[in-house]
Amino acid sequence: MYDRGTLHPVVLAVAQELCLWASLANMRQVYFSEYGLDLNDPEQLRNREPGFQASINRGREAYYRAEVKSRELYLRVRLSHNSAGMRIEILNNAIHSEPLEKRLREYLAQAMQYDSIMRYYEDHPEDQDGRGVGLALSVLMLKEEDLRPELMRLGKSGDETVSRLEIPFDTTYASIRDRIERGEELRPFSGSGLVPAELPPGVAIQDHLSVECPICRNQVDERVFFPEVSPDMLNFERVRVDRGDWSGDQGACASCLAIYE
């Protein structure tokens, strides 16, 4: 539609990888429930993850599909686009526990530093089958195409887990973060909705997402939330007086940026 066909292979590959992570989250919840395990227990998560990974095979495909459906777990993909760029969001409602969030955050922080896929294997020598290499490879592919991998986000938002990928088509595209940094006022409920007109009655999809700011603990619109902040954006020492365990890669809302300047 926008004559950006050269981006198709990379964007498709990354979107599929984000969908895979959401699908794995749904199946992981089924597996842990099946064995009476707790996804919020770091030790159980660490010890049983190999067993879960081993359970993903063709023989169990129909079982997982049926169980995911019966437990009303879903995976939705939402696309927003115009001539300047596009945003892809993958939403699912599986449990996204704190141990999973921490592991994913650490994984992405590492992946953002990679300049080759071999760096991944240096950090993860135990992954002989390459089951976890996909996101690291996605970051490298985005870098190769100058598509700003820092615009890829994964994490919890309310009762859902949301993966978001922003793809600029040209220099006129402004990401959510860019718009806030330049002081633009964002109105969460302005503009046309993102719910397709052809959806049947009763099917509702949020046209905005809320996230919890790790500093003030308030639920804020994602468009006024920075997923990562640097010391030149707010005073780290002042924040840690109130939130001793906070770090810049946990992010902060626009209000906290103003309070802790």
Side-chain angles (χ1 to χ4, degrees), residues 168-182:
F169 291 157
D170 56 42
T171 56
T172 65
Y173 180 82
S175 70
I176 291 170
R177 181 189 300 183
D178 293 335
R179 293 168 67 188
I180 296 173
E181 286 181 340
R182 71 189 185 199

Side-chain angles (χ1 to χ4, degrees), residues 34-84:
E34 180 183 37
Y35 288 98
L37 302 170
D38 184 3
L39 280 165
N40 287 291
D41 186 320
E43 186 174 351
Q44 289 187 16
L45 185 63
R46 180 173 57 254
N47 293 338
R48 296 305 295 262
E49 181 68 13
F52 162 64
Q53 293 287 346
S55 75
I56 303 172
N57 53 60
R58 289 292 183 184
R60 298 264 289 180
E61 184 177 338
Y63 168 77
Y64 273 127
R65 183 180 293 113
E67 286 296 309
V68 164
K69 184 176 181 180
S70 70
R71 296 166 192 259
E72 298 184 340
L73 298 173
Y74 60 75
L75 189 161
R76 296 171 180 161
V77 178
R78 183 169 65 196
L79 304 177
S80 307
H81 54 86
N82 58 32
S83 59

